[in-house]
């Protein structure tokens, strides 16, 4: 099995052989929900951080007993898996107030545990401010200190500054390698499709970080002389929230494009901004996670996202932009509107898509994307 097949195999499974092997050796696994939850603290506590996922979901029938039909399909699929026991191998879950849909998963999972003793007993709600400021940073630092104390008291362990420093160095190395790989898409030769990029980040969030570093080194070697871009392909920037369905991304790319840059939860946001290694660990972690490339939950940071958007379009020679949101995601609904204005200002074509996670609709997506690409081609011919 080559590195691409291995990544594809890990990404499409809820569990994988590396998790099972670690579990057999006595290592604990801690689930989490969002890119604002610091993996370094979980790793320093001796856990393998594991990002909750909807792959292998059988539907939302059981999740819908706890959620409204107006909640996003990610949380309904994810909680459906929790009810079915797919996440019973976890030793705890860290929740986050990314949005009200995901925040409610904490309440629902707590009720599920009380009613059925289903899933892990350790359920912790991590709160992060929705603004970036010194006051917000102090508040978030306090929240991370509370998380450290909760892990220490619940599992009878000690999270020292030295352990945190070691974890910070490991995760910085992982980010650096991933950033190196993503930067290779700046050139005319594009070594990785958008679909492969999603699979890669999804896989890396479900294996021990030491293994993730090893997989990334193999991937960089395999990508040195690789080019997945076909003649005439548009170079795309993708923006959106949670996107695990690599097939959805592949469908978009198959219409005549290759994704070269993004602001996706399983994309650039996971590599942006290293943690400063010479600062006290917890404040340094808080600073990185509060100020890295943000998603629209950060209400006073659109200027930074807009700057990244403009800079990336220029540096990666982007031809067009697609924003892709889940239904009922108000955060990305507002962001798509603002990005449309920015794209017009920059003179770059933009398309907004909306979907249900694992909800089908491939034909409709294909038609809309085809029409969008044909419109760009016609504009290019008119200019010529």
């Amino acid at each position: 099995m080559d590195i691409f097949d291995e990544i594809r195999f890990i990404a499409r499974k809820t569990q994988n052989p590396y998790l099972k092997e670690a579990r057999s050796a006595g290592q604990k696994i801690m689930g989490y929900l969002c890119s604002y939850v610091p993996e370094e603290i979980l790793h320093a506590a001796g856990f393998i951080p594991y990002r909750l996922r909807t792959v292998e979901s059988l539907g939302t029938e059981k999740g819908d007993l706890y959620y409204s039909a107006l909640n996003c399909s990610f949380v309904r699929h994810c909680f459906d898996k929790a009810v079915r026991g797919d996440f019973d191998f976890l030793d705890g879950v860290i929740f986050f107030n990314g949005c009200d849909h995901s925040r409610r998963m904490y309440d629902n999972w707590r009720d599920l545990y009380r009613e059925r003793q289903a899933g892990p007993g350790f359920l912790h709600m991590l709160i992060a401010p929705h603004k970036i400021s010194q006051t917000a940073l102090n508040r978030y630092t306090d929240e991370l200190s509370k998380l450290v104390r909760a892990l220490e008291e619940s599992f009878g362990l000690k999270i020292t500054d030295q352990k945190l420093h070691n974890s910070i160095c490991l995760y910085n190395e992982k980010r650096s390698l991933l950033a190196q790989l993503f930067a290779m898409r700046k050139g005319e030769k594009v070594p990785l499709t958008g679909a492969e990029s999603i699979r890669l980040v999804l896989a890396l969030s479900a294996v021990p970080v030491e293994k993730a570093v090893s997989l990334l080194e193999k991937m960089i070697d395999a990508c040195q002389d690789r080019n997945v871009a076909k003649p005439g392909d548009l170079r795309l920037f993708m923006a959106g929230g949670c996107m695990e369905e690599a097939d959805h991304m592949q469908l978009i790319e198959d219409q005549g494009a290759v994704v070269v840059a993004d602001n996706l939860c399983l994309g650039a946001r996971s590599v942006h901004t290293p943690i400063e290694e010479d600062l006290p660990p917890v404040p340094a972690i808080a600073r990185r996670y509060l100020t890295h490339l943000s998603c629209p939950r950060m209400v006073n940071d659109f200027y930074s996202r807009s700057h990244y958007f403009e800079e990336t379009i220029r540096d990666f020679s982007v031809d067009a932009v697609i924003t892709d949101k889940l239904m009922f995601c108000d955060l990305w609904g507002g962001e798509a509107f603002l990005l449309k204005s920015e794209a017009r200002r920059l003179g770059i074509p933009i398309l907004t898509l909306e979907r249900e996670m694992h909800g089908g609709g491939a034909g409709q997506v294909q038609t809309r994307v085809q029409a969008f690409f044909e419109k760009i081609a016609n504009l290019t011919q008119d200019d010529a």
Side-chain angles (χ1 to χ4, degrees), residues 2 20 23 31 51 60 105 109 123 177 203 213 215 254-255 263 309 339 365 374 381:
D2 70 12
K20 291 176 181 176
R23 188 83 182 161
R51 184 168 176 134
T60 63
M105 195 181 294
W109 208 318
L123 304 173
L177 290 168
V213 167
L215 291 172
D254 284 346
Q255 307 317 307
N263 181 0
F309 182 65
L339 284 178
V365 171
E374 286 172 10
Q381 288 173 3

Side-chain angles (χ1 to χ4, degrees), residues 87-116:
F87 296 128
D88 282 356
F89 62 94
L90 299 176
D91 295 281
V93 182
I94 312 297
F95 299 88
F96 186 73
N97 63 329
C99 65
D100 197 50
H101 304 255
S102 60
R103 196 209 67 77
R104 285 287 295 170
M105 195 181 294
Y106 171 69
D107 303 328
N108 288 335
W109 208 318
R110 193 174 50 180
D111 288 345
L112 180 68
Y113 184 76
R114 286 173 181 165
E115 291 170 3
R116 306 187 195 177

Side-chain angles (χ1 to χ4, degrees), residues 176-200:
S176 173
L177 290 168
L178 199 49
Q180 181 183 336
L181 186 59
F182 284 177
M184 292 167 71
R185 300 187 292 184
K186 280 185 182 178
E188 190 174 336
K189 291 182 178 178
V190 182
L192 207 62
T193 67
E196 288 171 334
S197 169
I198 286 180
R199 290 190 195 104
L200 176 62

